[in-house]
Amino acid sequence: PLDLSYAHTGVFQEMVKSECQFINGTDRVKFVKRFIYNREQYMHFDSEVGLYMGDTPYGEKVARYWNSDPEWMEYRRDAVDRHCRHNYELSSLFLVER
């Protein structure tokens, strides 16, 4: 039988949010990726810093691990061009003028 005691009936939420911040078109672009668990941001990546940064003790541990992988970090740093600037070019024709 399934144990439905109080400790096992909670709702847990993990969320990852990515955002691109455009200053003066694509001249200056900032990419931020936030990692949130139960409404608490535990880690984030900021393209201006170029590293993952832990916001909680657990996030610091995960950030150290991800920052230690040069190939992964290169991929993440390229997100500004691959994700932000690319999508800006695709959507600016119908969104910027609104």
Side-chain angles (χ1 to χ4, degrees), residues 39-58:
R39 299 185 199 164
E40 180 180 26
Q41 180 173 303
Y42 64 91
M43 182 177 66
H44 67 280
F45 175 84
D46 182 335
S47 66
E48 290 186 340
V49 177
L51 294 171
Y52 286 94
M53 293 173 284
D55 300 308
T56 67
Y58 172 73

Side-chain angles (χ1 to χ4, degrees), residues 26-71:
T26 59
D27 290 340
R28 184 164 172 237
V29 181
K30 179 177 177 178
F31 174 75
V32 178
K33 189 164 190 153
R34 304 173 191 280
F35 297 82
I36 302 158
Y37 180 75
N38 282 354
R39 299 185 199 164
E40 180 180 26
Q41 180 173 303
Y42 64 91
M43 182 177 66
H44 67 280
F45 175 84
D46 182 335
S47 66
E48 290 186 340
V49 177
L51 294 171
Y52 286 94
M53 293 173 284
D55 300 308
T56 67
Y58 172 73
E60 290 173 2
K61 181 178 177 180
V62 176
R64 275 193 303 274
Y65 175 76
W66 283 3
N67 288 336
S68 70
D69 184 341
E71 193 173 306

Side-chain angles (χ1 to χ4, degrees), residues 7 9 15 22 40 42 46 70 73-74 77 86 90 95-96:
T9 59
M15 182 169 44
F22 298 95
E40 180 180 26
Y42 64 91
D46 182 335
M73 292 307 295
E74 186 64 29
R77 289 180 187 118
H86 172 74
L90 293 176
L95 289 180
V96 172

Side-chain angles (χ1 to χ4, degrees), residues 16-28:
V16 178
K17 296 181 78 171
S18 299
E19 64 184 64
C20 299
Q21 300 172 359
F22 298 95
I23 297 100
N24 194 19
T26 59
D27 290 340
R28 184 164 172 237

Side-chain angles (χ1 to χ4, degrees), residues 63-94:
R64 275 193 303 274
Y65 175 76
W66 283 3
N67 288 336
S68 70
D69 184 341
E71 193 173 306
W72 174 249
M73 292 307 295
E74 186 64 29
Y75 176 79
R76 181 53 56 214
R77 289 180 187 118
D78 288 343
V80 170
D81 293 321
R82 184 183 63 253
H83 180 71
C84 298
R85 287 191 175 98
H86 172 74
N87 287 333
Y88 183 90
E89 297 301 324
L90 293 176
S91 60
S92 63
L93 296 173
F94 62 90

